[in-house]
Amino acid sequence: MKSEHYFDWAATAPADQEIQKAAFDFSLEHWANPSSQHFYGTEERKCLESARERCASAMEVKPEQLFFTSGGTESDHIPLLSVLTRPQKGSVIITGIEHPALREMANNIQLCGWKVISLAPDRNGFISAQSIEEKLEADTAFVAVMAVNNETGAIQPIYEIADMLTRVGKTKRKPFFHVDCVQAAGKIPLDISYPGIDSAAFSAHKLGGPRGIGLLYLAKAITPFLRGGGQEKNIRSGTENLFGAEAMALCMEKYYMTKKAEEKNPVMYKKFLEQQTLTSQFVEALRTIEGCTVIPHTRGQEVPDENFSPWIVQAAFKGIPGQVMVRAMSADGYYISTGSACSAAKASRPILDAMKVSPEEKETAVRFSFGSSTTTKAMKELFDEAVFLSAKFMH
């Protein structure tokens, strides 16, 4: 499969063959259960802990703060579900831009007697620290805000939110702050050890790794709701996925960017800066197409480009339903989406609803998402295809 005209990286990245083959070969040699007490088991345990240490080194956190999971969804679930272990019920704040892993699970939390406070973003898709503070209640136990929105690319002010919650915590119990970093890891510089961030979710397949492996960062230990054999220090029970752990470590070593990315990962940091320029030009070019609007409208104008991930762009093409545009582009060998792959079969667009995007734009919105191997030539050809199809359907 060729990925030259693949622009759905936010759904999943094309396989990094070097990483996946290396992890597969590794797993053929290291096949024993890491929890077994015999020689083979103890050897695999060393390999598992080595993978954890390598992830921690790339992410600049402590190895004991990282836990391997089955993916981003489970890494979102574990912290949220932990509130169910508390003797006193309270409230949780889930923003209107969260992934279904949090948004839908919050409905189950509500069935268990917890109050779920939904916080809508502003018209540009951003959540402010002030808006969260205004929603806090005396018994608010949990706050979730994703680092980068998977549909608009809006980079949320997670550090400002962490500062606010830390300040609030000086006079009363600080709400647990969870950050979904699935669309941020390897895409923008991150500092997840920032004071006030209590947990963060990561997924390998967004970085060219295999499906079925993720990471959960925990600043401090929590009491998990789900229990089992006690693996991963009781945080995530289940036989350890050594193949996945090795692949996750390789992904983080190759792609992850910390705040020191310019020194620590110059290759990805250079690509990040190049993509910022390419995407800024792409967004401005889209505005020249008759009937095309960028969502949010203010991107790169009232709101600076650096407030958005350079890997995600959403736009609407007047009179062309999003699904029609996706199919038409696919027929020509260009692969985009209408939004989250997890919600692709549903007609609803919760994130755009939360942003109060007009019904017409919501119906005609599509998402372009890019990755580490996206070229200038491919983006120019994508723009030409958008121009061609827009003219074809409008006339």
Side-chain angles (χ1 to χ4, degrees):
M1 293 174 61
K2 294 182 179 180
S3 61
E4 182 183 7
H5 290 140
Y6 180 77
F7 301 104
D8 198 20
W9 287 69
T12 198
D16 184 314
Q17 294 191 24
E18 182 180 90
I19 285 177
Q20 295 213 32
K21 286 179 179 177
F24 179 71
D25 289 343
F26 174 88
S27 69
L28 293 179
E29 182 178 351
H30 299 279
W31 42 262
N33 190 322
S35 291
S36 294
Q37 298 302 303
H38 49 62
F39 171 79
Y40 287 119
T42 55
E43 288 300 301
E44 311 312 38
R45 170 60 57 181
K46 292 176 185 176
C47 293
L48 182 69
E49 295 311 318
S50 173
R52 195 187 317 276
E53 289 167 6
R54 288 155 54 206
C55 287
S57 176
M59 300 164 72
E60 296 184 345
V61 299
K62 299 174 182 177
E64 57 267 28
Q65 293 176 315
L66 294 180
F67 303 87
F68 292 110
T69 69
S70 65
T73 292
E74 189 176 32
S75 294
D76 280 337
H77 284 176
I78 291 172
L80 176 57
L81 288 174
S82 71
V83 304
L84 297 180
T85 66
R86 299 191 179 196
Q88 300 294 325
K89 295 181 176 66
S91 62
V92 300
I93 296 177
I94 306 292
T95 78
I97 60 168
E98 298 306 308
H99 187 274
L102 282 162
R103 191 175 62 243
E104 296 298 322
M105 184 55 78
N107 294 333
N108 285 356
I109 295 292
Q110 198 164 19
L111 292 175
C112 294
W114 281 75
K115 178 180 179 181
V116 175
I117 301 170
S118 180
L119 176 61
D122 64 20
R123 66 190 180 95
N124 296 314
F126 293 96
I127 301 292
S128 69
Q130 180 182 349
S131 67
I132 292 177
E133 187 169 10
E134 290 171 354
K135 289 284 188 178
L136 288 176
E137 298 184 346
D139 61 359
T140 300
F142 183 93
V143 174
V145 181
M146 65 184 352
V148 172
N149 184 256
N150 55 307
E151 291 197 24
T152 66
I155 300 174
Q156 303 304 321
I158 57 173
Y159 309 115
E160 293 175 23
I161 295 168
D163 287 342
M164 179 275 293
L165 292 174
T166 299
R167 173 173 53 78
V168 167
K170 291 179 180 179
T171 56
K172 57 183 178 180
R173 186 170 183 177
K174 174 187 172 292
F176 188 99
F177 183 34
H178 176 70
V179 181
D180 183 331
C181 290
V182 169
Q183 294 291 349
K187 305 299 179 67
I188 65 171
L190 281 174
D191 179 11
I192 61 161
S193 63
Y194 191 88
I197 296 177
D198 296 299
S199 65
F202 303 88
S203 180
H205 80 96
K206 304 294 186 182
L207 298 174
R211 300 174 184 87
I213 184 68
L215 267 180
L216 170 63
Y217 162 79
L218 289 174
K220 296 179 180 178
I222 61 173
T223 303
F225 177 72
L226 298 177
R227 305 296 179 92
Q231 293 91 340
E232 293 297 289
K233 296 182 181 178
N234 273 321
I235 295 297
R236 195 272 176 182
S237 292
T239 302
E240 299 93 341
N241 178 359
L242 197 51
F243 158 70
E246 176 65 16
M248 191 87 217
L250 291 169
C251 284
M252 291 306 197
E253 288 173 327
K254 183 173 182 177
Y255 295 109
Y256 196 86
M257 289 182 287
T258 66
K259 289 291 186 179
K260 302 174 185 175
E262 188 171 6
E263 308 163 17
K264 195 167 182 179
N265 193 345
V267 173
M268 268 308 299
Y269 188 68
K270 180 182 179 183
K271 177 59 183 174
F272 166 68
L273 295 179
E274 290 173 348
Q275 192 63 42
Q276 281 186 321
T277 300
L278 286 176
T279 299
S280 178
Q281 294 170 348
F282 180 72
V283 167
E284 287 308 304
L286 286 177
R287 289 195 169 99
T288 67
I289 301 176
E290 183 181 357
C292 179
T293 55
V294 175
I295 300 175
H297 300 170
T298 54
R299 178 170 183 167
Q301 296 183 331
E302 294 173 36
V303 182
D305 275 333
E306 56 263 31
N307 288 31
F308 294 89
S309 167
W311 311 98
I312 298 175
V313 173
Q314 183 146 207
F317 293 82
K318 187 175 182 179
I320 311 173
Q323 293 287 1
V324 172
M325 180 64 102
V326 169
R327 289 195 294 269
M329 281 205 164
S330 181
D332 289 344
Y334 292 79
Y335 308 103
I336 64 170
S337 70
T338 55
S340 169
C342 299
S343 303
K346 303 175 183 177
S348 62
R349 300 292 298 275
I351 292 170
L352 300 188
D353 285 338
M355 291 171 59
K356 295 182 171 54
V357 171
S358 70
E360 181 182 7
E361 286 190 351
K362 185 173 63 175
E363 182 187 358
T364 58
V366 294
R367 178 184 71 184
F368 306 104
S369 54
F370 319 112
S372 57
S373 62
T374 301
T375 64
T376 304
K377 175 176 176 288
M379 290 192 69
K380 172 64 167 61
E381 291 170 348
L382 172 64
F383 171 73
D384 291 342
E385 174 70 5
V387 171
F388 169 72
L389 289 178
S390 182
K392 176 181 178 181
F393 283 106
M394 289 187 69
H395 303 293

